[in-house]
Amino acid sequence: MMSETALRDLNLLPKSERTTETSSKDILAKPYVEHTGENIRGKQRENIVSLVGPPMNGNEVEHSRPEVVVAEVEYIDSDKLNDLEDVDKSLKVLLYGLGSKDWVLLCETLNNIRRLSIYHKEALQHILDGAISLVVKALKNPRSAVCKTAIMTSADIFKAFGDRVIDSLDPLLVQLLLKSSQDKRFVCEAAEKALIDLTIWVSPVLLLPKLQPYLKNLNPRIRAKASMCVSCSVPQLGAEGIKDYGIDKLIQIASSQLSDQLPESREASRALLLELQTAYVKSSVLASEHDTSSDPPQVHSWEQFCESNLPKLSAQAVLRVTSITREGLVSGL
């Protein structure tokens, strides 16, 4: 089952990765053998600072062992990423870098995918599916620096390629929902932002069917994030698009989350119901205005629409929410 896979992925995270972290940088220790005169790609590893421990004094016997290097990885906003100096060279080593066990090189390569998405998306297009599958692998990495960089990479891919990611979206969506539902705050916030970007750049007609199964996930946090995505995606349709997609289908989706376990899910449901109510009223008014026949079609009220498309208790809950919220908005004017 999908829910078992999601829970297993969450349980694979070590306890040290589940603590709350609010820093914008991730400082991690990594063993590294330094050879005299060797260039360790210092010029290529932008925004990574290495600090080597103090040398041994003369009285100590030097043993052959790797020195410990502390690497500091900076998370760079998309608008601050510089273009690549050599696009062809970066493309040649892209898949190798994404498959590397060297986490610093992996973060560099993920940032290069971001640069390609922003500045050279045509060059990335022909290997996009392979790149996405390796980004998914990076999202599963227990090292938080890799995970967050992969999340930021996902957001840039959504923005650059939009609907073209839909065929490769399923495994990526699973991981983003998982990461947005975990306890580590700065990873959770980045994943939630990437999900919101997904709802902006991918057509709701294509995205909503992908999200619907997660509204029934056994994990309440997964359901809550999926509800948030649905609530953000539906308004992108517009009033006419909502009508064409089917307000009756969407109101059933929204009402199913209205009594869910987590407040985040219920709040997303309320927001979606208000959006649907507005679209229904607007489409009814437009239909009346444009119909000039002597026998115009019968227009049902919002209350009648809810009662005819939902079970009695669900309809009452929906009407209670939409009427109370509307009254609150009016009284606040």
Side-chain angles (χ1 to χ4, degrees), residues 118-136:
I118 294 169
Y119 297 105
H120 308 280
K121 67 179 183 180
E122 296 80 8
L124 184 60
Q125 176 69 48
H126 69 285
I127 58 168
L128 182 62
D129 291 342
I132 288 178
S133 66
L134 291 171
V135 171
V136 171

Side-chain angles (χ1 to χ4, degrees), residues 19-171:
T19 56
T20 301
E21 180 174 333
T22 58
S23 171
S24 63
K25 298 181 180 180
D26 194 44
I27 302 177
L28 301 156
K30 175 190 176 187
Y32 185 81
V33 180
E34 182 172 332
H35 300 284
T36 305
E38 181 180 1
N39 186 336
I40 61 169
R41 297 192 298 274
K43 293 182 179 180
Q44 296 178 12
R45 298 187 174 182
E46 298 176 0
N47 301 307
I48 299 176
V49 180
S50 297
L51 302 173
V52 183
M56 304 172 68
N57 61 48
N59 297 325
E60 292 179 314
V61 178
E62 183 174 353
H63 298 283
S64 176
R65 66 176 185 273
E67 297 181 10
V68 175
V69 177
V70 177
E72 182 179 302
V73 176
E74 182 178 358
Y75 305 115
I76 310 170
D77 292 335
S78 300
D79 57 355
K80 295 180 181 178
L81 278 171
N82 296 323
D83 195 358
L84 292 162
E85 294 182 2
D86 191 332
V87 176
D88 292 335
K89 181 179 178 181
S90 297
L91 283 169
K92 287 178 182 178
V93 299
L94 196 67
L95 297 183
Y96 168 79
L98 287 174
S100 175
K101 294 182 179 179
D102 179 341
W103 70 271
V104 178
L105 175 60
L106 180 52
C107 285
E108 289 177 25
T109 309
L110 287 167
N111 278 327
N112 283 344
I113 290 184
R114 298 175 65 200
R115 292 183 174 96
L116 287 167
S117 298
I118 294 169
Y119 297 105
H120 308 280
K121 67 179 183 180
E122 296 80 8
L124 184 60
Q125 176 69 48
H126 69 285
I127 58 168
L128 182 62
D129 291 342
I132 288 178
S133 66
L134 291 171
V135 171
V136 171
K137 182 179 178 181
L139 284 167
K140 299 178 182 179
N141 195 300
R143 194 178 288 276
S144 57
V146 175
C147 181
K148 180 170 178 178
T149 307
I151 291 170
M152 298 173 78
T153 304
S154 302
D156 286 326
I157 288 175
F158 296 151
K159 184 175 181 179
F161 295 99
D163 292 351
R164 281 176 282 180
V165 305
I166 200 69
D167 292 335
S168 306
L169 183 61
D170 287 330

Side-chain angles (χ1 to χ4, degrees), residues 143-258:
R143 194 178 288 276
S144 57
V146 175
C147 181
K148 180 170 178 178
T149 307
I151 291 170
M152 298 173 78
T153 304
S154 302
D156 286 326
I157 288 175
F158 296 151
K159 184 175 181 179
F161 295 99
D163 292 351
R164 281 176 282 180
V165 305
I166 200 69
D167 292 335
S168 306
L169 183 61
D170 287 330
L172 192 56
L173 179 58
V174 172
Q175 290 303 314
L176 290 175
L177 287 169
L178 282 169
K179 298 307 175 185
S180 69
S181 305
Q182 73 170 52
D183 293 330
K184 198 158 191 178
R185 182 178 175 183
F186 83 115
V187 173
C188 178
E189 290 176 347
E192 185 171 317
K193 182 179 181 299
L195 286 170
I196 292 173
D197 287 339
L198 174 65
T199 66
I200 294 172
W201 298 106
V202 175
S203 167
V205 175
L206 298 175
L207 181 59
L208 290 172
K210 300 284 188 182
L211 290 169
Q212 281 184 248
Y214 299 102
L215 296 173
K216 299 179 180 180
N217 194 277
L218 294 180
N219 186 332
R221 300 171 85 176
I222 296 291
R223 294 198 303 271
K225 297 303 179 183
S227 294
M228 176 203 73
C229 291
V230 171
S231 179
C232 291
S233 183
V234 169
Q236 307 295 325
L237 288 166
E240 282 300 313
I242 289 174
K243 179 184 176 182
D244 293 339
Y245 190 88
I247 299 182
D248 53 340
K249 292 189 294 185
L250 292 171
I251 197 173
Q252 290 172 11
I253 293 173
S255 65
S256 69
Q257 303 302 303
L258 196 54

Side-chain angles (χ1 to χ4, degrees), residues 253-311:
I253 293 173
S255 65
S256 69
Q257 303 302 303
L258 196 54
S259 59
D260 201 57
Q261 181 177 342
L262 294 182
E264 183 180 1
S265 186
R266 300 194 296 271
E267 182 58 37
S269 174
R270 285 192 287 269
L272 178 55
L273 286 169
L274 286 173
E275 188 71 31
L276 296 177
Q277 183 186 26
T278 300
Y280 181 81
V281 172
K282 185 175 181 180
S283 63
S284 299
V285 170
L286 289 175
S288 300
E289 290 177 349
H290 286 88
D291 196 306
T292 58
S293 63
S294 58
D295 187 19
Q298 183 180 3
V299 177
H300 297 288
S301 66
W302 171 249
E303 291 78 6
Q304 291 172 321
F305 174 77
C306 292
E307 290 169 354
S308 63
N309 286 279
L310 296 170

